Amino acid sequence: MKTIGIIGGLSPESTMSYYQWLNDGVRAKLGGHHSAKIKMASVDFGEFVALKEKGDWDTQGAMLCEEAIALERAGADFIILATNTMHKMADQIEAALKIPFLHLADATARVIKGQGVKAAGLLGTKYTMTLDFYKGRLEEHGVQALVPDPVGIDVVNTVIYDELCHGKVLSASKTAYQDVISDLQSRGAEGVILGCTEITLLIQQADVAIPVFDTTRIHVEEALRLAFEP
């Protein structure tokens, strides 16, 4: 079993899911008392939120590269970044490493295409929904990403930062998300991408009528596959 390097803390809520699900996956595969081999760097989410608000992506990228290099030196065999939004810096991180970087959007696109879905609604932070780093990556794989209208973008983003990142899961917010997803479906979305690792706390497959692509689950499953790959 390879050692998985995780850059987490962005936010802690989603990082806890990564840690639990990776260990659950190893236990399911190997049985007994086995658990995942993990090296983790957990950063201060507040520092990154403040830098995003200033539009300072360069400093965030440098901070993530520093953490990735430290994990590589500590013995990680590959790196995963436990957040969707900060994949904006994926190319920079990958360039700093000698070991593989497992890109979340690539793994997600492969699963979407495998189910025959060509157009999917994309929910995430305002950065993920409005900037091209994530939508463009999906489209490179042949998956069209549809995003909410401006009001929907504000609703989705506000719930993420004001509620889910603090561990708050409210029924009214679930309803609001379902309304946004219904609108995306009416515009041609054949599935919906939970493009923020916290959204899985709020929305599951049973909550919507079209296929749900949970990027956290997909990322974890791909990491487990790579961990056991010869």
Side-chain angles (χ1 to χ4, degrees), residues 107-127:
T108 299
R110 285 192 288 270
V111 171
I112 293 172
K113 288 188 71 177
Q115 293 192 24
V117 171
K118 296 179 180 178
L122 175 61
L123 305 183
T125 66
K126 62 184 178 182
Y127 310 103

Side-chain angles (χ1 to χ4, degrees), residues 18-120:
Y18 270 88
Y19 186 80
Q20 179 181 337
W21 294 347
L22 285 168
N23 281 290
D24 288 347
V26 170
R27 188 178 300 115
K29 183 175 180 65
L30 300 181
H33 297 288
H34 288 287
S35 57
K37 293 181 179 179
I38 293 172
K39 301 288 185 182
M40 182 184 293
S42 189
V43 301
D44 179 0
F45 186 43
E47 293 179 357
F48 283 81
V49 171
L51 288 166
K52 278 196 229 10
E53 290 173 351
K54 294 178 182 177
D56 185 351
W57 294 97
D58 290 341
T59 300
Q60 294 178 81
M63 292 165 70
L64 293 178
C65 285
E66 182 179 348
E67 300 295 348
I69 292 168
L71 289 171
E72 181 179 54
R73 289 174 177 166
D77 292 301
F78 64 94
I79 301 293
I80 59 174
L81 179 58
T83 168
N84 282 265
T85 300
M86 293 313 299
H87 275 71
K88 185 177 188 304
M89 319 312 300
D91 290 345
Q92 185 177 345
I93 297 168
E94 192 167 17
L97 294 170
K98 296 182 179 68
I99 58 175
F101 176 80
L102 182 54
H103 199 294
L104 188 154
D106 291 344
T108 299
R110 285 192 288 270
V111 171
I112 293 172
K113 288 188 71 177
Q115 293 192 24
V117 171
K118 296 179 180 178

Side-chain angles (χ1 to χ4, degrees), residues 85 123-130 153 156-157 160-161 195-196 199:
T85 300
L123 305 183
T125 66
K126 62 184 178 182
Y127 310 103
T128 299
M129 291 186 287
T130 60
I153 287 173
V156 172
N157 184 76
I160 290 169
Y161 279 107
C196 176
I199 298 178

